[in-house]
Amino acid sequence: MKSPRFDIRARPLRSIFSANNIASVWKNKVRLSMKQQFLDDGVENLDFHVSHQLECQKLSQLILEGSYVPQRAQRILVEKSKGLCRQVVIPSVKDALVLQCLSDALYKQVRNKAPTNKAFFEPKEHKFSNNRSEYGTFASWLNFQKSLFSFSKTRQYVVITDIANYYDTISYYHLRNIISSITDVEECVLDMLIYVLSDLLWQPDYTPRIEVGLPQIDLDAPRLLAHCFLYELDKFLDSDPNRDFVRYMDDIDIGVDSIVAAKQALKDVDLVLQTKQVRLNSGKTQILTRAEALVHFRVADNARLDALTKRVDRRLGAGLAIERDRRLITLRIARGLKTKAFDTGNGEKILKRWITLANRTKAQISPRNLQLIIRLRPGARENAYGYVRMQPLTPARAATLASCATSGLFVDDAAMVDMANSLVETLVESRHERGLHIANIMNSTDPQNYYGLYCRLWLQSKYDSQDNLLQTMTQYQRTWIAHERLGRLVGSFRPLFSGSVRAGDYEALIFGTQNTGARDTYKFQSRLSRDVSTFSDLYPALSNPNPSRGTGITHAKFLCLLSALQNPNVPVIRKDNLRTRNALALRDVYYRSIARVAGAL
């Protein structure tokens, strides 16, 4: 129930949450952001996209009448290093829309209020990308690195530090005061932003809520607040002309010319932060000489990689051979892993750049080295999975993934989730010497666990039989029945069962469990397989190949493609065009078999 003053107080929300603005934010930002979350949606939220105008009107009305409540968020553990994990929130589509609208409104207020240009942050670029991006845009991060490299070459000492448990310790009280002091943002906008974010925080064991901590989400809103929280520190650091500094979120680097100045800077920074009830991370704080700083930041390695990247770009653009570059990339990765050159300083960032180049040039990373990266370097796992996904699956790589999955070294949820997401979008041209390894990966998952069941279902939907997939859904329905997101995955499998002897059992399972997500995606797939207008709405999306996937298509979109090709009410020529446009996916031996059984070929 809203208060009597809600309509007056919430007046600024009317433009932020107009149906048209929400729809624009969905099309230009949130739709892509949802594709880059850890968990894939069963139909890639295409059901929301097809009817987004109506859905945005409904959300607008809900907010402006004071009835909006954030939905239950899903949290995933992502290993940082040595078994230590961060919790990352995976928001619902509607909560992501609300947060992005509020973040856009706040950014308009704060973007010109920064006390210095030495703190680097920009909202995330909502562009097509292979990987989840860092905080802000990649260009912003590069500018931070450029400035850091610049003074690390001239100052006698460089202090590197960050803030201990930064997101977890941000006080809403201090945050409100900081934002209010630097902007004219309306109180209700800031209140609503903090209200939504605080509701997405982890509250274990029904403990009372406290006004401390921002959830870590792959969206702009918490990052923007965390960036602004340190404006006072930026102003202080910029006040002394005898030092240089740069900041990227809570990573703070300071250039000085003496040990005395370095220690004084650290003491002062820590005291400034203590006024906001946060502290520096003593374990990650170092005072480096100029020579040590150049080694730590890998200035020479980055310059070498920049030159090689330009050379590869130039030769690929001119259609010239790059075999020599491939051999060099393979050698550098192997040598670096053997000599532990990536273990200190910014070494892992260098490794990730080498893997990216290997992916782009199709340079070979040996199965042994790939296994070392995936098992022991959680920060580079996503890059390694991306490398595997973009090339046809070989028996050796399949064996490598199986060995990693069964090693017991994955202590987080994201390692197996990322593996499953990558493997279903990897081109498999032969079952020979691959099928057994894939089966071992599926069997290594724990279907009694939310993420284990997600991985098994997603993998089985491509690599296993109808009977086994249905058996898993039935046997472990208690794991997914209460979760809308997992239900959406289950309901998205309709085209796999359409017309089969198991279709009745599958349909009974979907509607018998009363799971809203399962029913929604089932009905959407059903409409796509019969309705001409739904087919036409999705035709552009289904006919555009995705170059960041080894199969040329996301797995969720392939399931939708099956439904579209099962539609008897659309012209054959349009379905033939879809087959032609997705010829790469249909080269996959598993996808081709699924399409034949589903009547899509």
Side-chain angles (χ1 to χ4, degrees):
M1 183 176 71
K2 63 184 180 181
S3 71
R5 68 186 187 121
F6 176 81
D7 290 335
I8 296 173
R9 188 170 178 273
R11 193 169 294 150
L13 300 179
R14 292 173 188 164
S15 60
I16 296 172
F17 292 109
S18 69
N20 287 339
N21 189 54
I22 297 174
S24 175
V25 168
W26 165 254
K27 288 188 293 184
N28 297 323
K29 297 182 178 182
V30 173
R31 185 185 177 198
L32 181 56
S33 287
M34 296 309 295
K35 293 179 184 179
Q36 296 173 340
Q37 301 297 320
F38 280 96
L39 293 183
D40 289 343
D41 181 73
V43 295
E44 214 171 81
N45 294 302
L46 288 168
D47 53 340
F48 185 93
H49 182 65
V50 166
S51 57
H52 73 273
Q53 295 288 355
L54 176 60
E55 293 295 335
C56 291
Q57 288 177 10
K58 287 156 60 177
L59 180 58
S60 174
Q61 182 177 342
L62 201 64
I63 294 169
L64 298 180
E65 68 182 18
S67 302
Y68 164 76
V69 177
Q71 294 177 246
R72 181 177 65 178
Q74 191 63 40
R75 294 171 181 83
I76 185 168
L77 291 179
V78 183
E79 186 181 2
K80 296 188 290 183
S81 66
K82 302 173 185 176
L84 299 176
C85 299
R86 66 165 58 94
Q87 282 193 39
V88 176
V89 173
I90 304 173
S92 68
V93 169
K94 291 179 181 178
D95 291 342
L97 276 169
V98 170
L99 285 172
Q100 190 62 53
C101 288
L102 289 167
S103 177
D104 287 351
L106 180 60
Y107 183 64
K108 290 177 183 177
Q109 291 282 335
V110 303
R111 62 184 171 188
N112 296 320
K113 304 293 185 178
T116 172
N117 60 2
K118 297 175 183 177
F120 295 89
F121 171 81
E122 289 290 334
K124 182 178 175 182
E125 284 182 340
H126 297 273
K127 294 181 180 179
F128 188 74
S129 172
N130 290 353
N131 299 318
R132 300 178 193 94
S133 61
E134 301 278 352
Y135 295 132
T137 63
F138 184 61
S140 181
W141 183 82
L142 288 178
N143 289 333
F144 163 78
Q145 291 287 306
K146 184 178 178 181
S147 297
L148 175 57
F149 291 167
S150 177
F151 72 70
S152 67
K153 296 176 183 177
T154 58
R155 290 292 186 176
Q156 295 299 315
Y157 295 91
V158 176
V159 176
I160 59 172
T161 188
D162 69 8
I163 299 173
N165 302 318
Y166 182 46
Y167 274 66
D168 297 332
T169 53
I170 292 176
S171 160
Y172 294 165
Y173 171 78
H174 292 305
L175 186 60
R176 288 173 188 273
N177 289 342
I178 291 167
I179 300 296
S180 299
S181 68
I182 62 173
T183 72
D184 299 322
V185 65
E186 297 284 350
E187 181 184 20
C188 65
V189 175
L190 187 56
D191 282 349
M192 186 173 181
L193 182 52
I194 292 177
Y195 162 75
V196 178
L197 289 172
S198 65
D199 205 68
L200 297 177
L201 273 175
W202 185 44
Q203 295 295 318
D205 308 328
Y206 303 110
T207 53
R209 189 174 302 282
I210 57 174
E211 289 202 331
V212 175
L214 293 175
Q216 297 193 49
I217 313 175
D218 191 19
L219 292 170
D220 291 333
R223 298 166 183 162
L224 181 58
L225 290 174
H227 175 66
C228 295
F229 189 80
L230 297 178
Y231 273 7
E232 185 176 311
L233 176 64
D234 296 337
K235 188 174 182 180
F236 166 74
L237 286 170
D238 200 41
S239 65
D240 187 345
N242 294 316
R243 64 185 170 219
D244 292 306
F245 90 97
V246 288
R247 178 175 69 81
Y248 192 74
M249 204 55 62
D250 66 323
D251 289 332
I252 305 159
D253 300 298
I254 306 167
V256 292
D257 287 323
S258 70
I259 286 286
V260 172
K263 297 181 74 172
Q264 184 67 42
L266 279 171
K267 183 196 78 171
D268 291 344
V269 167
D270 197 39
L271 287 172
V272 170
L273 291 174
Q274 284 185 59
T275 66
K276 307 302 180 188
Q277 297 176 293
V278 294
R279 298 293 302 273
L280 288 180
N281 186 337
S282 61
K284 292 186 178 179
T285 298
Q286 298 182 62
I287 299 175
L288 305 175
T289 65
R290 182 193 301 171
E292 291 170 337
L294 293 175
V295 173
H296 177 90
F297 296 121
R298 304 300 179 95
V299 174
D301 289 332
N302 276 294
R304 191 179 298 117
L305 275 162
D306 289 342
L308 179 58
T309 301
K310 288 178 182 176
R311 170 185 163 84
V312 167
D313 289 343
R314 186 171 61 252
R315 293 188 70 82
L316 286 175
L320 300 175
I322 56 169
E323 191 55 41
R324 176 183 158 197
D325 302 299
R326 288 194 185 104
R327 289 196 298 269
L328 175 64
I329 293 166
T330 298
L331 177 64
R332 291 292 186 184
I333 292 174
R335 183 182 295 169
L337 290 170
K338 183 177 181 179
T339 62
K340 299 185 177 181
F342 304 127
D343 291 5
T344 58
N346 285 0
E348 193 157 273
K349 291 183 173 67
I350 297 298
L351 173 59
K352 290 162 72 172
R353 289 193 67 184
W354 280 116
I355 296 172
T356 299
L357 264 178
N359 195 353
R360 185 140 183 268
T361 61
K362 294 183 171 52
Q364 293 301 304
I365 301 177
S366 73
R368 180 181 178 278
N369 287 333
L370 205 56
Q371 187 173 120
L372 287 173
I373 295 167
I374 295 173
R375 282 188 175 191
L376 304 176
R377 297 179 180 274
R381 275 179 192 150
E382 184 184 348
N383 303 75
Y385 287 145
Y387 171 83
V388 171
R389 182 178 61 197
M390 285 305 295
Q391 302 182 50
L393 187 68
T394 64
R397 288 202 190 110
T400 294
L401 294 177
S403 175
C404 293
T406 57
S407 68
L409 291 171
F410 292 167
V411 299
D412 62 343
D413 305 312
M416 277 304 300
V417 166
D418 270 346
M419 183 186 290
N421 290 341
S422 298
L423 195 51
V424 294
E425 295 169 350
T426 299
L427 185 67
V428 185
E429 297 177 311
S430 170
R431 300 173 193 260
H432 182 61
E433 296 184 340
R434 297 164 179 82
L436 180 60
H437 297 306
I438 294 171
N440 288 337
I441 294 171
M442 288 189 288
N443 292 333
S444 73
T445 61
D446 178 9
Q448 298 186 73
N449 167 278
Y450 182 101
Y451 292 104
L453 182 58
Y454 168 89
C455 293
R456 181 168 294 192
L457 289 173
W458 212 219
L459 288 167
Q460 282 187 312
S461 65
K462 178 177 180 180
Y463 295 111
D464 213 344
S465 65
Q466 282 184 6
D467 287 349
N468 289 342
L469 177 59
L470 183 60
Q471 182 182 359
T472 300
M473 290 187 289
T474 304
Q475 184 176 351
Y476 297 102
Q477 62 179 291
R478 288 185 61 183
T479 304
W480 63 265
I481 192 172
H483 298 278
E484 182 177 347
R485 196 185 300 269
L486 272 182
R488 287 180 62 83
L489 206 70
V490 171
S492 70
F493 300 148
R494 182 190 181 278
L496 302 178
F497 293 92
S498 180
S500 76
V501 294
R502 294 292 192 182
D505 295 334
Y506 172 69
E507 184 176 354
L509 176 68
I510 295 297
F511 291 97
T513 55
Q514 299 294 306
N515 182 287
T516 303
R519 287 183 294 178
D520 286 349
T521 51
Y522 180 95
K523 291 176 181 177
F524 173 73
Q525 293 281 35
S526 180
R527 290 198 306 275
L528 181 55
S529 68
R530 297 194 307 259
D531 184 57
V532 175
S533 63
T534 304
F535 178 96
S536 297
D537 287 338
L538 290 187
Y539 184 78
L542 296 177
S543 60
N544 287 324
N546 187 331
S548 72
R549 302 302 191 262
T551 54
I553 193 170
T554 63
H555 188 52
K557 200 172 282 186
F558 177 78
L559 295 174
C560 293
L561 176 67
L562 288 178
S563 289
L565 294 176
Q566 290 169 346
N567 193 324
N569 301 316
V570 296
V572 172
I573 190 171
R574 300 194 84 189
K575 291 196 285 186
D576 285 343
N577 187 56
L578 285 180
R579 294 185 187 97
T580 300
R581 297 285 290 172
N582 291 284
L584 179 59
L586 296 175
R587 271 178 49 199
D588 185 292
V589 63
Y590 289 94
Y591 274 170
R592 193 162 61 247
S593 176
I594 290 170
R596 286 199 188 101
V597 172
L601 283 182

